[in-house]
Structure formats: C-alpha cells, structure tokens
Amino acid sequence: MRRRTPTTSLALALVATLATASLAGTASAAPAPALAPAPAPAVAALAAPDVSLSNIQAHLTQFSSIASSNGGNRRSGSAGYTASVNYVKSRLQAAGYTISEQYCTTCTYPGNNLIAEWPKGPSDQVVMFGAHLDGVAAGPGINDNASGSSVLLENALVLAAQNPTMTKRVRFAWWNGEEQGLQGSKHYVNQLSSTQRGYIKGYYNFDMVGSPNGGYFINRITSATAAPLKAYWDSLGISPEENTEGQGRSDDYSFANVGIQTSGYAAGASYTKSSAQAAKWGGTAGAAYDGCYHRSCDNSSNINTTIVNRAADGVAYAIWQLAVGGGTPSNDFSVSVSPTSGSVARGGSTTATLSTATTAGSAQTVALSAGGAPSGVSVSFSPSSVTSGGSATMTVTASASATTGTFTLTVTGTGSATRTASYTLTVTGGSGGCTGGQLIGNSSFESGTTPWTASSGVITNSSSQAARTGSYKAWLNGYGTSRTDTLSQPVTLPAGCASYTFSFWLHIDTAETTGSIAYDKLTVQVGSTTLATYSNLNKAAGYTQRTFNLAGYAGQTVTLKWTGVEDSSLQTSFVVDDVTLQVG
C-alpha cells in the first residue's frame, strides 16, 4: 500500500469528499451501476471453491525468492518487479487466460501492468479484481503486496481449473507503480473510453491481506458492491470493519475517481490495533497491524496465514456470487500436495503426498493426474485414484537425460469437478553434471568484438564515456537522435550447477530533464524473456551492478541481449562493462 505523505494527509477531507461525489454520480464521472448480489446467505449456502492456502504460500515463496535474487526487493522498474510480472504471466498463460501487458509510460519507474481476462461470459459485463504487484525498495514486499497478488493469482487459477458457466466476464489485474502514487492503475483507467469504463460493474482491490497483527477490513463496507465480501466474512463470525486507513491510498481509488464502484479486503498497515479489535479478532492491542510495513522485515515470515486464507476464500465467494452461473457441485472435494516443492537429480526420484478432502456433500472417487512435467520426467500416483478424504503417494522420476531447471507441475483431481494443486519441481544434473566457471567471452570488451555481436560503434574505447575497468566498454545510444543499438552474445549454461549468476555493470548518462517520462530505454533479455528495462529515469553517477539468477535456463543455449532505443532528441547513453555469467 502506498505510504500516506504529509500532502496526502492534509488533503484527506477533500479526497473523501471527491470520492463520495464520484461514487454518487457527478456530471463528469457517472458511476457504473452497482452490482446487486443476492442477500447474505447462510454458511451452508456459500457454494464456492475452497482456495488452497498451501498454493498461496507457494506463490509467496516464489515472490520472496524473486526478491532475494534481485537485490532484495521488487520495486517498480527493478529486475525484481519484471521477474514478478513474468512469474504471474507464465502461470496465467498456462491456465488459458487472455493476457495483455500495458506499459505505463507515465509511471515514475515505467513498467507493465499485467491484465488477465478469463475469456468466458459477456464482454460488456465485467467484474474486475486487482492488486498491486510492486513493492518498495526497502525489502521484498511480501505482505505489501505479494499477499494480495498471490491471493488473486490462486483465485484466477482456481477459476480456470473449474471452468464454470459464466454470467459475467472476470478480469484480473496486477498493477505497476502503486507505491509511487497509484500510477499504474491511474494509467489503466485513464486510457479506457467511457464505454469501456461502463462495462466494469465493480472493481475489487486487495492490498496487504496478510498483516501479522492484522484485522478484517472492507473498503466501502456498507455499499452494494461490498456485499459479497462482507457476506462471506459475516458467515465466519468475523465482524469486519470499514477500511479507514486505506482510503485514497490504494488502487481502488483510481477506479472510484472515474465513477466505477469499488470495494476490497485489507488487513491493515501502520495503524494501531485497538483493544476492542484485539478482543474480537485476536492479536496485540496497541501494536501496528503490520510492524514491518515498508521495511526490510516484510519477508515470508511477515504473514498471518489465517487472514490470508479467509481473504482468498472470500474472493472466491465473490467471484462465484457475481459472475458464475450454476454454483458448484453438491458433492465437492479439494486437493493439496505436501511438500509443495521438491528437487530431483537426473536418474533419481522424489516423492510427495497428495491429500484430498470432502468439502461438500458425500465422498466420491477422485482420479489423479499431473501435467507440466519437462521432457524426461514422469509422474505417477499410488493409488491412481482415491476416495475423497484419502491420500496417495506422488512419485516424480527423472531420466538420465531429463531437462534441467525449475518447473511448476499442476496436480489434478478429477471427480464431479476438477480440482488442482501446484508443485514446484527442480531438476538438477546427475553426479558430476556441473562444469562451473565464468561463461562470458571477452567480458570486459578488451579483446575486440569476438564473441560479441554489436551495432557499429557500440564496443569502443572512446574517452567520452569512461570504462569501468580497462579502456573498452559497450556504449549503446548517446546520439540524441532516433537510434536503436544492440549488443548480444550466445552462451550455453551447463546443467546440474547450484548457482547461475548473470551480472553486468551499467552506467546511464542522460541529457533528458524529465523526472517522470521514459524517453530512451535499454531492454535486457535472455532469449525472448525480458529480464529488465532501464531508461533515462535510472540515470546515476558511476556504474551500478545489475544481477540476475538464470537457473531456469540450466542445460540450454540462450542469447543474452541488450537493446537500446533512443528518441529523436536529448541523448541518453547506456554504458555496459564487465559482463559475467558465473556458474558453480
């Protein structure tokens, strides 16, 4: 969640007034009709799938690992943010979502919003669920806001796996630049036409839904839009409260300002839990909801799993109430895997326990299968089917020539419905499989151009830009005219190593004066995957080391590539030196 600045604090009364006016319907921003769900049902009628907490925790682990591999954070514009986008995108693409990435040029740190739409239901009747994907530079941002991002990701995967009949279109969004002022969501709503805004019948926001000393808060709790979220938490006897701390501070505000009805869950940030709240929700009175808010300790230990679980199931309930026809089967079940990840060497095997539970009605036969295994890896179950409530042993076996790397297996139970769980598998080389060392040839550019491929003049000893070491470096752009420069080198990563660290030193010098617009950009890729994008906004004195984990490419030959694109005026120089790819 965005930190409240002094200016924001002084303007709170005006913000609240503007938001209320917008939601009431002004001449400039007439609101879309509010959703009108059925009255709050009894607990037994909450016919929505149980969202797996273990799967959500697996996503949180992935975001934590991404931060650890990319300088300790997932701030917008950073390699950690780019890797976060790629992780979410890959899972959604595999599930069948229609994906679009929207580049926010007006963001302080330009980067992509990720939009995923389930391609079922009427396209002019949209229910939208969003969370900001970025964190702050101070830490990995696990509660703020990998928690909301993970809850939405797992709900999206559950919806795809169940593939129910849809009465409305469901759209998910992960936002860039929330921490710099809700910039990604503002960019998104500003580019919508009035007709497209009218299609969105409700926007639901999820920001910090796992605060360790958290509470149960709902945005605009008395509104019709909030009704399904409140109905689910009411059914658990939680007694939620209005999210006063979050007013105007997260991405729902961007939608409210253009007349779209909003709600959402939150668990609290730096505000203090009262004695009355501690009495009904537990936790510590007089302490912040999240004592690690915007700090380095906002890591994987900074999560209240009970609140996360209840938020995730409440999201599922809202989706089913608002957009799904026909409900769920009268007999239903869930699937989980323990542990949620494992490693196997070529020629070896590993096991995990698949468990099922009857979640509604009577027990039923559930057939077990798995997908997503790489070449040379097989997955079997003993027994191959169970009665819900039972368990089976999952065995993963890798051949001597299995593809190495890290992969996500989708474990599926098929009965009256289809239920899934995720298992992260790492395949390593067999004994003696790793040949370590530094893999980049001519890494400091001091030995001519071989084995580099570069645009004319990129590899140079010009004194106008200093090398970090020696005399030569790769200098992309810097002309002040429209120009594209490239630099690349193919490299083969051996299988079976414990680490694959790619790094280079980058100096960015620019004559651009803007503090908000990325006119000139440098994109870093491995194969077709973008690792990071830098721009004139990242200018700094001297060189900065940029580091990435390429373990996912073990056993492959890939091309490392830098592409600099400069506009027609005011130069930006991207200077690269001392490139290494160290494996071992």
Side-chain angles (χ1 to χ4, degrees):
M1 181 168 71
R2 180 193 182 197
R3 185 185 297 277
R4 177 171 286 138
T5 63
T7 301
T8 304
S9 298
L10 292 172
L12 280 179
L14 177 59
V15 163
T17 302
L18 291 174
T20 302
S22 175
L23 294 172
T26 64
S28 61
L35 297 168
V43 175
L46 300 182
D50 177 53
V51 179
S52 168
L53 175 60
S54 63
N55 288 357
I56 294 170
Q57 290 174 307
H59 299 318
L60 293 171
T61 298
Q62 287 293 319
F63 286 125
S64 179
S65 177
I66 285 169
S68 296
S69 299
N70 293 282
N73 69 78
R74 301 182 305 103
R75 192 212 69 191
S76 293
S78 71
Y81 179 78
T82 299
S84 298
V85 171
N86 290 338
Y87 172 68
V88 176
K89 179 181 177 181
S90 66
R91 297 302 308 276
L92 295 171
Q93 283 180 322
Y97 276 82
T98 301
I99 305 293
S100 61
E101 291 186 72
Q102 179 193 54
Y103 189 70
C104 177
T105 57
T106 57
C107 290
T108 300
Y109 304 108
N112 288 341
N113 294 325
L114 181 64
I115 313 298
E117 190 158 303
W118 186 239
K120 306 289 177 69
S123 60
D124 61 349
Q125 300 286 315
V126 177
V127 187
M128 195 163 179
F129 297 80
H132 73 89
L133 188 55
D134 65 318
V136 295
I142 301 304
N143 184 40
D144 185 14
N145 185 37
S147 63
S149 295
S150 298
V151 161
L152 287 198
L153 175 56
E154 189 56 31
N155 264 279
L157 297 177
V158 167
L159 178 64
Q162 300 227 349
N163 192 19
T165 301
M166 305 300 296
T167 60
K168 288 186 175 65
R169 184 71 57 97
V170 175
R171 184 180 301 161
F172 295 93
W174 287 264
W175 304 117
N176 180 62
E178 189 269 357
E179 296 290 1
Q180 289 74 48
L182 322 181
Q183 295 175 343
S185 56
K186 286 179 184 176
H187 181 77
Y188 175 81
V189 297
N190 287 342
Q191 58 82 40
L192 294 175
S193 67
S194 58
T195 299
Q196 290 170 326
R197 291 174 182 174
Y199 290 164
I200 302 174
K201 305 308 178 185
Y203 171 78
Y204 294 86
N205 195 66
F206 303 92
D207 190 352
M208 301 181 67
V209 294
S211 305
N213 190 43
Y216 294 87
F217 302 106
I218 298 178
N219 305 344
R220 302 177 61 246
I221 192 169
T222 60
S223 67
T225 312
L229 298 181
K230 185 175 184 297
Y232 185 79
W233 276 0
D234 283 347
S235 75
L236 302 178
I238 287 173
S239 300
E241 297 178 3
E242 175 65 42
N243 180 21
T244 56
E245 182 183 15
Q247 289 176 2
R249 295 176 62 186
S250 195
D251 294 297
D252 54 304
Y253 190 56
S254 299
F255 287 79
N257 278 343
V258 296
I260 295 171
Q261 300 295 314
T262 64
S263 188
Y265 283 147
S270 60
Y271 279 22
T272 300
K273 177 174 278 188
S274 69
S275 297
Q277 291 170 336
K280 69 175 178 176
W281 296 330
T284 304
Y289 301 120
D290 182 357
C292 289
Y293 173 58
H294 283 190
R295 296 172 60 194
S296 60
C297 56
D298 185 13
N299 53 36
S300 55
S301 300
N302 194 47
I303 290 290
N304 185 317
T305 56
T306 299
I307 299 178
V308 164
N309 193 31
R310 288 171 170 175
D313 289 339
V315 173
Y317 176 64
I319 292 172
W320 255 249
Q321 286 290 301
L322 298 170
V324 173
T328 57
S330 56
N331 297 328
D332 203 0
F333 64 95
S334 63
V335 172
S336 62
V337 180
S338 180
T340 57
S341 62
S343 177
V344 60
R346 283 175 167 175
S349 64
T350 188
T351 62
T353 300
L354 183 144
S355 300
T356 63
T358 301
T359 58
S362 303
Q364 60 181 290
T365 300
V366 179
L368 306 176
S369 61
S375 175
V377 172
S378 62
V379 184
S380 62
F381 297 90
S382 180
S384 59
S385 64
V386 298
T387 300
S388 56
S391 61
T393 298
M394 180 178 76
T395 301
V396 181
T397 303
S399 70
S401 59
T403 301
T404 58
T406 300
F407 310 90
T408 299
L409 307 187
T410 300
V411 181
T412 301
T414 304
S416 60
T418 299
R419 302 290 179 255
T420 63
S422 295
Y423 180 82
T424 301
L425 174 68
T426 300
V427 182
T428 63
S431 58
C434 175
T435 302
Q438 201 289 103
L439 305 182
I440 299 296
N442 190 16
S443 66
S444 296
F445 307 102
E446 300 297 323
S447 303
T449 59
T450 304
W452 295 99
T453 299
S455 300
S456 175
V458 164
I459 297 176
T460 177
N461 65 347
S462 168
S463 60
S464 298
Q465 288 286 347
R468 178 178 175 269
T469 59
S471 301
Y472 284 82
K473 67 276 173 181
W475 180 359
L476 293 87
N477 306 121
Y479 292 84
T481 59
S482 296
R483 183 180 176 90
T484 298
D485 281 337
T486 61
L487 171 74
S488 65
Q489 183 176 144
V491 62
T492 300
L493 284 73
C497 297
S499 63
Y500 298 81
T501 304
F502 166 51
S503 72
F504 61 92
W505 292 81
L506 175 64
H507 169 56
I508 302 177
D509 171 75
T510 186
E512 300 284 2
T513 59
T514 178
S516 60
I517 301 175
Y519 288 112
D520 311 312
K521 302 181 184 69
L522 177 72
T523 302
V524 186
Q525 295 175 287
V526 54
S528 60
T529 300
T530 297
L531 294 175
T533 300
Y534 307 101
S535 74
N536 49 280
L537 299 177
N538 304 116
K539 65 181 179 181
Y543 283 84
T544 301
Q545 188 175 32
R546 310 292 183 171
T547 303
F548 307 89
N549 179 8
L550 299 189
Y553 300 90
Q556 302 179 40
T557 297
V558 296
T559 297
L560 302 173
K561 184 176 182 180
W562 292 255
T563 303
V565 179
E566 191 174 19
D567 72 356
S568 59
S569 65
L570 298 179
Q571 73 86 23
T572 299
S573 297
F574 301 102
V575 189
V576 177
D577 204 355
D578 297 327
V579 183
T580 60
L581 177 49
Q582 187 71 43
V583 302

